[in-house]
Amino acid sequence: MPEERENDFKSRMEQVLRLTDRAGEPMLALKSRSFAPTLKEDPAEAELSSHKLMVRSGLVRRLAGGIYSYLPLMLRSIRKLERIIRRSLNKRGAQELLLPAVQPLELWKESGRDKKYGPELLRLKDRHMRDFVIGPTHEEVITDIVRREIRSYRDLPLNLYQIQTKFRDEIRPRFGLMRCREFIMKDAYSFDHDEEGAALSYRSMYEAYKEIFDSCGLSYAVVEAESGAIGGSYSHEFMVLADSGENTLLFCGACGYAANQEKTELSDYPLDAPREGPLERVHTPNARHVDELARFLGVGEAEIIKSMLFITEDEGPVLVLIPGHREINPVKLEKYLNADSVRLASPEEAEEITGTPTGFVTPVGSKLRVVADSGVRRMGSGVVGAGEKDYHYKGAQPGRDFKVDDYFPLALAVEDDPCPNCGKPLKLKKGIEVGHVFKLGTKYSEALGARAQKRDGTEAPIVMGCYGIGLGRAIAASVEQSGDKDGIVWPMPLSPYEVDVLPLQVKNPAVMEAALNLAEALVGLEVEVMLDDRDERPGKKFKDADLLGLPLRVTVSEKNIEKGLLEIKERKSGKVSMIPAAEAPGRLKEIRDSLSSFG
Ligand code: ATP
Ligand code: MG
């Protein structure tokens, strides 16, 4: 290149590189200078494709188990999601604030959650040996602010939110950003002086969440959920459907019912016809498990009654009975027992408490509290352990041969079980929980004493709701949902940049100038550009472009610019088109816009 032309080129390039959008984010990045270290091989610890792709394309790096650094391209995507979230919340009157990550343990004692949260709550001491926690969520902190500042219904409704780093000491951090220990969450909290207002606040956040996930270009389902450890009266989860999801969901194709498996009500599932007969002790050597026992006795698993020992913190051991072909729904059991923590006893514990080795524990003559799934009553009788090694009873009948203190629907719903709404068979799918809305009620306001005066002059606890979105998990779920064998396939709204411009012969000034002209024009139209200015072979550039997965790719080659053409390829559809160079910026902006609107 002649010196003058080269200087002109350089100064133009420096100028576009300095352009930023209204938020101050760069509009153009040069691949040669972008810090996005790529890897050829999948990281050894990664199981999910999203995790592999996010590490390989240089979006994230692991520092320790479940703790990740967000590299520049990932942060751009996070910033975009933040903007989508802020827009939807701000326009509904929610106000952003930022709360401390480090919180006094004292507050958690006030709400009683210091115990309930268990080892997921990371505790630490300051130099004065005072106890603190790193916030896994902020109900306590926000309720503390509100109890100090809010006095009357005139100050309500109020919705406060933040986008902040949380820490949960997850027992098994895995799948990259899907389940990590340190992660970014948007958490919002609503405050109303009555139930009616709280229902409106909940509805408004529910609508905001639909708008947010629609705007991200995610395909998702909203399901009814159990309110779990946070407590409260009702809640919905926003689920990105993916086979690798950790959540199991049940859908009814007939009436539209959709719920988390743990939430699904199940009172009536198919059983064999009830049987009656005498109690008979039988020798069942080494038949401990339901399947072994069924095979040995030549009966169906539905004719066996499993006796399982659970331990609760407050009430000690409870013997739980369920038909052999069904599993216990742990959330329903927890709810029924109204216990903070319920766990299955270890074989050693069970043997110590019942005096019987596992597989042979019996309800017959048991002094423990006995709770049975409602299915056990409908069975009439069944095979139970005989309370000694290698023996069972056949024909054991609740009421006649052993006592049951209470019956309750405790079985976990599975595919083909009847829909609780319309009775048609349910379908099972897997999902990734990206957002969660809870109606909390007065749980925290009562515990912490956040009260407000009502219109009639009386005072009552404030009615609350809380609403969370995991930003890293949502982006990972998007990568999981849309990625392919070659790499990420970003939906336009979350993509770090929008158009990947690939000049193939960087030493040819005509090629580089055509690429720069295009980049300048695109930036002028507020389209974000990544320019692959590296002196690499075309094959490598194409591979990297596929791996990073920006939605649009433009190839600038010697051959095509001679004809005045550019090649445009859509990452998702693979559609390729040749466009006159002069029309390309306008055309690309149009495609960008059409790929940006969803819902
Ligand atoms: P999960 O059941 O997956 O543990 P949760 O019910 O504990 O989720 P919430 O307390 O409702 O989650 O938190 C709100 C949101 O924060 C979740 O919907 C999810 O998107 C995100 N989130 C929760 N735990 C994690 C985690 N360990 N890693 C990444 N994101 C998380
Ligand atoms: Mg959790």
Side-chain angles (χ1 to χ4, degrees):
M1 227 191 262
E3 204 175 314
E4 209 174 300
R5 195 173 167 192
E6 195 175 329
N7 285 339
D8 176 51
F9 179 84
K10 275 192 184 146
S11 85
R12 276 173 60 201
M13 181 71 94
E14 288 307 323
Q15 263 176 22
V16 252
L17 279 171
R18 259 183 260 139
L19 294 176
T20 60
D21 66 11
R22 254 176 288 163
E25 305 286 349
M27 291 296 294
L28 173 90
L30 295 180
K31 209 164 249 178
S32 65
R33 296 192 210 162
S34 287
F35 184 63
T38 55
L39 299 177
K40 280 214 188 72
E41 302 295 326
D42 289 331
E45 78 277 10
E47 296 169 57
L48 289 197
S49 77
S50 55
H51 185 188
K52 293 175 188 164
L53 293 175
M54 291 172 80
V55 174
R56 278 186 49 209
S57 59
L59 297 182
V60 295
R61 284 295 181 265
R62 177 181 173 279
L63 176 64
I67 303 181
Y68 286 84
S69 303
Y70 308 105
L71 303 191
L73 294 180
M74 179 64 190
L75 189 59
R76 260 183 90 92
S77 180
I78 292 175
R79 293 279 179 260
K80 290 191 172 183
L81 178 52
E82 287 177 356
R83 261 174 274 161
I84 291 172
I85 292 173
R86 288 195 172 100
R87 197 180 53 212
S88 288
L89 297 186
N90 292 341
K91 82 182 199 205
R92 287 173 174 82
Q95 299 175 60
E96 185 169 0
L97 46 52
L98 187 57
L99 301 168
V102 176
Q103 315 174 358
L105 178 66
E106 211 42 50
L107 265 182
W108 286 71
K109 288 192 173 149
E110 273 192 67
S111 71
R113 272 210 299 186
D114 57 325
K115 285 214 187 76
K116 181 153 195 167
Y117 229 90
E120 251 186 52
L121 186 63
L122 185 69
R123 294 150 198 256
L124 57 147
K125 285 191 190 293
D126 71 2
R127 64 167 77 201
H128 307 294
M129 301 308 279
R130 290 189 201 111
D131 292 311
F132 286 88
V133 305
I134 302 196
T137 173
H138 279 67
E139 282 79 8
E140 283 79 1
V141 173
I142 198 85
T143 310
D144 176 62
I145 292 190
V146 164
R147 73 176 163 183
R148 290 166 197 274
E149 311 301 333
I150 300 293
R151 291 280 161 265
S152 141
Y153 69 91
R154 279 183 290 265
D155 306 321
L156 300 172
L158 185 63
N159 186 318
L160 300 170
Y161 76 97
Q162 61 171 343
I163 297 177
Q164 194 227 29
T165 298
K166 306 279 189 246
F167 196 96
R168 295 182 182 178
D169 207 351
E170 298 274 354
I171 185 163
R172 259 189 78 207
R174 59 192 179 280
F175 306 151
L177 296 191
M178 291 278 192
R179 182 166 301 282
C180 35
R181 296 195 295 166
E182 186 178 301
F183 59 97
I184 304 171
M185 196 203 286
K186 184 288 295 174
D187 44 331
Y189 305 89
S190 67
F191 302 89
D192 284 88
H193 68 88
D194 60 11
E195 286 292 331
E196 228 178 346
L200 286 177
S201 295
Y202 184 89
R203 197 73 219 164
S204 159
M205 283 300 104
Y206 182 100
E207 293 303 328
Y209 272 43
K210 288 216 293 202
E211 187 176 85
I212 290 166
F213 294 119
D214 284 341
S215 306
C216 290
L218 279 169
S219 138
Y220 64 95
V222 191
V223 303
E224 290 179 24
E226 278 294 353
S227 21
I230 292 191
S233 24
Y234 51 85
S235 92
H236 287 90
E237 286 165 342
F238 289 71
M239 294 281 182
V240 167
L241 299 178
D243 291 341
S244 57
E246 290 184 279
N247 285 84
T248 304
L249 316 171
L250 290 163
F251 292 88
C252 176
C255 74
Y257 175 86
N260 200 312
Q261 184 181 33
E262 293 169 341
K263 161 80 182 179
T264 309
E265 303 296 334
L266 181 69
S267 45
D268 195 19
Y269 52 84
L271 278 172
D272 292 347
R275 282 161 222 272
E276 269 188 46
L279 188 70
E280 187 189 338
R281 184 165 164 273
V282 287
H283 189 216
T284 52
N286 293 322
R288 285 173 191 276
H289 296 292
V290 170
D291 52 342
E292 294 164 345
L293 188 61
R295 232 178 302 128
F296 183 83
L297 293 175
V299 300
E301 292 187 5
E303 294 171 53
I304 295 170
I305 300 171
K306 272 191 285 196
S307 308
M308 302 164 85
L309 193 69
F310 284 86
I311 311 273
T312 72
E313 202 153 283
D314 311 327
E315 305 222 11
V318 181
L319 195 60
V320 181
L321 309 182
I322 186 159
H325 65 313
R326 307 299 306 211
E327 299 301 329
I328 297 275
N329 180 339
V331 174
K332 293 271 189 258
L333 182 63
E334 217 171 275
K335 245 190 151 158
Y336 168 74
L337 293 171
N338 194 15
D340 279 358
S341 80
V342 180
R343 60 179 179 82
L344 192 62
S346 70
E348 295 75 31
E349 278 174 317
E351 182 155 0
E352 201 188 310
I353 294 167
T354 62
T356 311
T358 13
F360 306 99
V361 171
T362 188
V364 177
S366 174
K367 301 232 157 39
L368 295 168
R369 176 174 175 197
V370 181
V371 179
D373 169 53
S374 332
V376 171
R377 174 152 48 193
R378 291 189 290 124
M379 284 169 76
S381 71
V383 177
V384 299
E388 62 182 298
K389 191 170 178 307
D390 294 342
Y391 284 92
H392 280 86
Y393 286 120
K394 280 169 89 169
Q397 199 174 308
R400 185 190 72 185
D401 304 316
F402 59 91
K403 68 151 185 152
V404 172
D405 294 303
D406 207 358
Y407 289 98
F408 197 76
L410 291 174
L412 191 66
V414 295
E415 184 151 74
D416 291 331
D417 272 340
C419 167
N421 249 0
C422 71
K424 293 272 160 31
L426 293 166
K427 279 270 149 282
L428 187 145
K429 288 183 193 166
K430 292 286 189 177
I432 301 164
E433 179 200 320
V434 291
H436 202 168
V437 291
F438 287 86
K439 172 146 174 301
L440 284 173
T442 55
K443 178 177 158 132
Y444 294 93
S445 49
E446 265 176 56
L448 275 76
R451 305 169 67 82
Q453 198 180 55
K454 298 175 108 162
R455 269 202 192 86
D456 63 10
T458 60
E459 214 194 61
I462 293 172
V463 190
M464 291 173 57
C466 74
Y467 316 92
I469 293 178
L471 279 79
R473 188 186 283 182
I475 292 173
S478 165
V479 173
E480 187 69 26
Q481 184 168 67
S482 335
D484 63 19
K485 65 172 187 359
D486 298 320
I488 298 174
V489 180
W490 286 104
M492 191 62 82
L494 297 179
S495 185
Y497 286 87
E498 295 168 332
V499 179
D500 210 350
V501 177
L502 272 57
L504 295 188
Q505 299 83 14
V506 295
K507 294 215 171 89
N508 179 337
V511 170
M512 278 313 276
E513 262 179 10
L516 179 59
N517 289 343
L518 175 67
E520 270 179 345
L522 286 172
V523 168
L525 294 171
E526 298 188 337
V527 177
E528 304 161 6
V529 181
M530 173 69 86
L531 180 61
D532 191 349
D533 59 328
R534 300 170 305 164
D535 187 8
E536 293 280 2
R537 293 169 26 168
K540 161 95 174 131
K541 289 194 171 194
F542 290 138
K543 240 185 144 75
D544 284 350
D546 280 346
L547 177 61
L548 179 57
L550 302 188
L552 294 168
R553 184 186 89 189
V554 185
T555 308
V556 187
S557 68
E558 277 167 353
K559 213 172 66 203
N560 285 331
I561 56 168
E562 274 167 23
K563 296 181 233 155
L565 294 174
L566 295 172
E567 183 202 276
I568 298 178
K569 184 173 179 189
E570 284 183 38
R571 176 69 178 88
K572 186 168 182 187
S573 63
K575 203 172 95 191
V576 177
S577 45
M578 300 299 286
I579 292 193
E583 287 169 26
R587 184 72 197 114
L588 283 161
K589 179 179 156 48
E590 263 172 41
I591 307 177
R592 192 276 311 265
D593 291 345
S594 75
L595 294 178
S596 302
S597 55
F598 291 90

